[in-house]
Amino acid sequence: MAIKERLKNLRQLMTQKKVDAIIIPTSDYHQSEYVGSHFKAREFMSGFTGSAGVLVVTATEAGLWTDGRYFIQAAHQLEGTTIELMKQGEEGVPSIEEFLENRLKSGQIVAFDGKVLSASEGIDLEQRLSKKGITIYYSEDLVDAIWIDRDSYSMEPAFLLEEQYSGKSAVAKIEELRNVMREEQTDVHILTTLDDVAWLLNIRGNDVPYNPVILSYVMVTLENVYFYVEAAKIDEKVKQYLAQIQVTLKPYDALYEDVTKIAKDQSVLYDLTKVNYAIYKSIPVEVKRVNKINPTILAKAIKNPVEQDNLKKAHIKDGVAVTKFMYWLKTNIGKIAMTEVTASDYLEECRKAGEGFTQLSFNTISAYNANAAMMHYSATEDSCAKLEPQGMLLVDSGGQYYEGTTDVTRTFILGPISDEMRKHFTTTVKSMLNLQNANFLYGCNGQNLDILARGPFWDMNLDYKCGTGHGVGYMLNVHEAPNGFRWKKVPERNDSCILEEGMVTTDEPGVYIEGSHGIRIENELLCKKGTHNEYGQYMHFEPVTMVPIDLDGIDTNYFTTVDKARLNAYHKLVFETISPYFEGEELAWLKKITREI
């Protein structure tokens, strides 16, 4: 069914339901970044496949709001659909709320599925629209009525992440959470984000592509822990484990009924940006509420010593895989047929050879020349580019290992490139190394440090329309709050916390020239304590990514002596770390590509 036909059917249903506008976000019931196939309603209705975006449909108009990562991709995918691309954050582009306020009048109704919109978003809409006499209808998923062949929920089994990997027992994590509840004088904590649930219970699953999580909720009281999940996903081993740590199993959807029974004299701790609107509306109005960022978010982001040691092991395996791919790519380009997809497939096979590898941590971006200007380009067998011995291939990829989650980007030089490309490549490397080598006082957040990476681009009147880096989970989501690098605060990102020892953050500046090329170089950085003196506690970063940077793209005219020393030091570390896993021609090649410049 064509997108136009789906919009027509939806509008007919809206007329029947007396609904004047509908909001269809990119979300599941847990505010996940990536969602399972059942929850891809926005993609179904618009054809836009990016991981972030909101579709709004009225009787006569439709708009798709997305951010700068997806402007080029969305423009292509929305062609011929009658859906207008709304470039979020760009001058003159209204917010969704402004759009609805301008289009609707008193007495009209805006609909959305209350389970897929966060409570904070729902409350904001409710308050803003009520001023114009516009009401909200949230108790039904209207898209479901026209999505005839919709997939059901994933039913993949849960599995345990043993303490040799997690580094801390679920019992200890739960007790630490309860200590925060006591400090906040709360009796109940509602936890709905899948990675927080997985981390708290040391359980993993396979319900969301690339994220080893399980569709579930948790409600913690000072005496009990309730785990809401489909019973068929829990085998006998996991069931016994949950009984041992005194966690009570309940049906997945039972949370919505249970929250209505919270005693009126109790106090609930929740995060309104994470709990969905339907849950928020189900809690008795008399119950006292404390809105606070889930305590598990910060606890999860600070990797314990076991996790840190394991992460380094995972990155060695991952570094070996990506470097072997680089060897294959660089030595075979122009000799054998290659496409963006076959290159991506070969890299996945290299990763699969690593012990403890479970799956990719996100869909690999393999983008040749102009395709790399789209930050989140996705190649398909039908439309992928053929690789030639000229230009550049950007590959952003990662793996899930029992020892952790990886995310690495390298841009590979396949043959001759222009002087401009070489300048941009060298600047990207310089910028990444600037941030990687930061030495800073404790108390800094990513906003304080972002200029180290972005500055060299601003000096050339260039920029990239995204943050410089994001937190990374431990065998969990590849994008994890609350740490990140960004030049301005974006509240919904929740990535502006103080950088703590043990946090892992990506460092991935880049340049994207539409119609020409895209370049990104990305390492993961582990935050560590450094010198302590009369000025305070100094902090620095330890790179954990162990993959060579392609020297064929470097023009040393754009490097200072410090830049050269930094790249040489990084390459020395890479060679010393991964060379034991290479021999013969591969080892000789590795020595050459990590040579001093």
Side-chain angles (χ1 to χ4, degrees):
M1 190 192 303
I3 298 301
K4 286 182 182 178
E5 187 70 19
R6 292 173 187 173
L7 291 170
K8 178 184 173 184
N9 292 346
L10 181 63
R11 286 181 170 124
Q12 289 173 347
L13 183 61
M14 289 165 62
T15 301
Q16 293 170 22
K17 297 281 184 178
K18 296 182 170 54
V19 165
D20 302 285
I22 183 170
I23 302 169
I24 306 169
T26 305
S27 185
D28 55 16
Y29 304 154
H30 310 271
Q31 303 307 305
S32 303
E33 178 184 13
Y34 300 108
V35 299
S37 58
H38 173 83
F39 297 102
K40 293 186 176 181
R42 186 266 298 150
E43 181 179 322
F44 173 77
M45 289 304 309
S46 69
F48 170 59
T49 59
S51 68
V54 178
L55 177 67
V56 177
V57 180
T58 70
T60 58
E61 294 178 272
L64 188 285
W65 278 256
T66 191
D67 61 53
R69 295 172 297 169
Y70 294 108
F71 288 168
I72 300 172
Q73 177 184 337
H76 287 310
Q77 293 182 326
L78 295 179
E79 280 181 14
T81 65
T82 72
I83 299 170
E84 183 181 356
L85 172 60
M86 311 296 274
K87 296 182 177 181
Q88 239 170 310
E90 295 289 285
E91 194 174 338
V93 177
S95 68
I96 292 169
E97 294 83 1
E98 290 167 342
F99 176 85
L100 292 170
E101 287 169 339
N102 293 335
R103 298 302 191 278
L104 303 182
K105 55 182 188 276
S106 181
Q108 293 193 299
I109 297 172
V110 173
F112 58 82
D113 178 1
K115 290 184 176 181
V116 299
L117 211 67
S118 74
S120 60
E121 291 168 317
I123 292 166
D124 185 54
L125 267 173
E126 185 181 350
Q127 291 175 344
R128 290 185 63 161
L129 297 181
S130 65
K131 292 175 184 175
K132 287 198 66 174
I134 300 164
T135 55
I136 281 172
Y137 177 64
Y138 69 90
S139 59
E140 189 177 359
D141 177 5
L142 295 184
V143 175
D144 190 62
I146 65 167
W147 194 351
I148 307 303
D149 56 350
R150 187 175 196 171
D151 290 344
S152 56
Y153 296 152
S154 166
M155 294 299 290
E156 293 286 322
F159 62 93
L160 302 181
L161 189 69
E162 305 291 349
E163 213 168 310
Q164 71 188 87
Y165 301 115
S166 69
K168 185 181 286 189
S169 70
V171 170
K173 293 177 180 179
I174 291 165
E175 188 51 37
E176 288 172 4
L177 174 56
R178 284 179 171 145
N179 286 338
V180 178
M181 291 170 61
R182 293 182 186 105
E183 289 170 13
E184 297 293 336
Q185 298 183 327
T186 53
D187 308 288
V188 180
H189 177 43
I190 300 170
L191 193 60
T192 63
T193 36
L194 302 182
D195 56 330
D196 288 301
V197 170
W199 177 85
L200 182 68
L201 300 181
N202 286 340
I203 283 179
R204 299 294 190 267
N206 195 28
D207 283 343
V208 177
Y210 312 115
N211 297 343
V213 294
I214 182 167
L215 288 173
S216 56
Y217 310 92
V218 159
M219 187 157 66
V220 181
T221 72
L222 297 176
E223 298 82 26
N224 301 298
V225 179
Y226 302 100
F227 183 33
Y228 299 85
V229 63
E230 297 285 358
K233 297 181 180 186
I234 308 300
D235 66 17
E236 199 57 39
K237 180 180 178 182
V238 176
K239 198 176 290 184
Q240 288 177 9
Y241 162 76
L242 292 169
Q244 183 184 344
I245 63 172
Q246 297 183 311
V247 171
T248 302
L249 277 169
K250 303 204 80 173
Y252 178 49
D253 289 324
L255 176 70
Y256 294 89
E257 176 67 22
D258 283 2
V259 297
T260 67
K261 299 173 184 175
I262 296 173
K264 295 174 182 177
D265 62 348
Q266 291 198 306
S267 178
V268 174
L269 172 66
Y270 57 25
D271 183 346
L272 286 178
T273 67
K274 302 300 181 185
V275 170
N276 68 48
Y277 187 72
I279 292 172
Y280 163 79
K281 295 292 279 189
S282 299
I283 299 171
V285 292
E286 301 87 350
V287 171
K288 183 185 173 188
R289 302 157 188 243
V290 176
N291 176 29
K292 182 183 175 74
I293 291 173
N294 288 331
T296 47
I297 288 180
L298 181 60
K300 172 166 56 45
I302 300 173
K303 276 53 181 178
N304 62 51
V306 171
E307 289 174 318
Q308 291 181 40
D309 288 344
N310 284 337
L311 272 170
K312 292 174 186 176
K313 294 173 186 174
H315 277 278
I316 291 172
K317 296 178 192 178
D318 205 63
V320 170
V322 179
T323 305
K324 285 183 178 289
F325 165 76
M326 182 181 181
Y327 172 78
W328 171 83
L329 179 71
K330 298 275 287 181
T331 56
N332 287 296
I333 186 68
K335 299 175 185 175
I336 62 174
M338 293 183 191
T339 68
E340 292 167 328
V341 169
T342 59
S344 173
D345 289 347
Y346 188 89
L347 175 55
E348 185 172 354
E349 290 305 312
C350 291
R351 278 201 168 93
K352 285 179 178 177
E355 184 185 354
F357 173 83
T358 62
Q359 62 175 329
L360 299 179
S361 57
F362 57 95
N363 187 34
T364 299
I365 298 169
S366 176
Y368 182 54
N369 285 347
N371 289 339
M374 294 180 269
M375 290 186 202
H376 283 225
Y377 170 77
S378 181
T380 65
E381 288 194 18
D382 295 333
S383 62
C384 64
K386 181 182 176 184
L387 305 187
E388 304 285 356
Q390 61 86 23
M392 300 181 290
L393 177 68
L394 184 156
V395 181
D396 187 351
S397 66
Q400 296 285 6
Y401 301 83
Y402 284 104
E403 293 92 352
T405 301
T406 70
D407 182 4
V408 53
T409 308
R410 290 294 183 265
T411 302
F412 302 108
I413 311 304
L414 303 186
I417 57 174
S418 69
D419 290 343
E420 180 187 54
M421 290 176 176
R422 198 172 298 279
K423 180 180 181 180
H424 289 168
F425 185 97
T426 307
T427 303
T428 303
V429 175
K430 176 191 185 83
S431 296
M432 190 279 289
L433 292 169
N434 274 358
L435 181 52
Q436 179 171 290
N437 285 274
N439 193 52
F440 56 98
L441 277 167
Y442 176 78
C444 284
N445 62 24
Q447 283 176 259
N448 302 125
L449 303 181
D450 184 86
I451 188 66
L452 294 174
R454 205 175 293 265
F457 292 101
W458 283 1
D459 288 342
M460 298 191 297
N461 296 314
L462 292 173
D463 193 22
Y464 42 95
K465 292 180 179 290
C466 60
T468 297
H470 55 84
V472 181
Y474 181 93
M475 207 202 175
L476 276 174
N477 298 1
V478 76
H479 296 143
E480 180 180 270
N483 47 305
F485 299 117
R486 191 177 296 277
W487 70 273
K488 63 180 178 180
K489 191 166 186 176
V490 181
E492 62 269 24
R493 293 285 185 189
N494 183 27
D495 61 0
S496 300
C497 77
I498 289 172
L499 294 164
E500 302 281 355
E501 183 174 41
M503 286 182 170
V504 177
T505 317
T506 65
D507 170 9
E508 47 181 312
V511 59
Y512 307 93
I513 307 300
E514 186 172 356
S516 177
H517 60 276
I519 300 162
R520 181 162 65 250
I521 305 290
E522 174 188 21
N523 278 358
E524 284 187 39
L525 309 179
L526 174 63
C527 190
K528 306 283 284 184
K529 285 182 179 177
T531 298
H532 185 280
N533 60 22
E534 67 269 30
Y535 303 110
Q537 177 66 59
Y538 280 88
M539 311 292 288
H540 63 271
F541 298 117
E542 177 185 339
V544 291
T545 303
M546 293 294 143
V547 179
I549 293 166
D550 196 340
L551 294 178
D552 291 341
I554 299 291
D555 183 340
T556 54
N557 291 317
Y558 299 110
F559 262 6
T560 64
T561 303
V562 171
D563 296 326
K564 291 178 187 176
R566 286 173 172 173
L567 181 55
N568 289 339
Y570 177 67
H571 272 160
K572 183 173 185 288
L573 175 64
V574 169
F575 182 80
E576 289 173 350
T577 304
I578 67 173
S579 60
Y581 302 90
F582 291 80
E583 57 185 21
E585 288 183 9
E586 283 188 342
L587 179 60
W589 170 85
L590 178 62
K591 193 166 187 177
K592 180 184 176 184
I593 62 159
T594 56
R595 69 190 181 276
E596 283 198 3
I597 59 169

